[in-house]
Amino acid sequence: RVQTNIVICDVSATGLAAADISAQLKTRGVLANAVSPTQVRFVTHYDVSRAGCETALGACADVASKVAA
């Protein structure tokens, strides 16, 4: 089993470009990079806690909920 601190998400179902999602996340304090028009790459660092990951996930949910609205 491979363990990594990198997560790549397919955001095509949102209808937004990955770069737009990245920009929206940045306004919420989450840095993520578009690696293709439909994929966003998230990377944690050793100093990112579980709470930090949950905060980032909440920002992702917030962005997604704005698209669905």
Side-chain angles (χ1 to χ4, degrees):
R1 179 176 157 184
V2 176
Q3 293 184 353
T4 183
N5 63 333
I6 299 171
V7 176
I8 297 178
C9 297
D10 179 344
V11 297
S12 58
T14 67
L16 292 176
D20 294 335
I21 289 176
S22 177
Q24 289 186 36
L25 289 171
K26 186 174 183 179
T27 68
R28 292 162 174 81
V30 177
L31 300 179
N33 293 319
V35 294
S36 79
T38 61
Q39 294 182 321
V40 176
R41 178 179 180 250
F42 298 86
V43 180
T44 61
H45 195 258
Y46 69 90
D47 63 345
V48 177
S49 66
R50 180 180 184 97
C53 290
E54 290 173 352
T55 297
L57 184 58
C60 290
D62 187 48
V63 169
S65 72
K66 303 291 189 268
V67 171

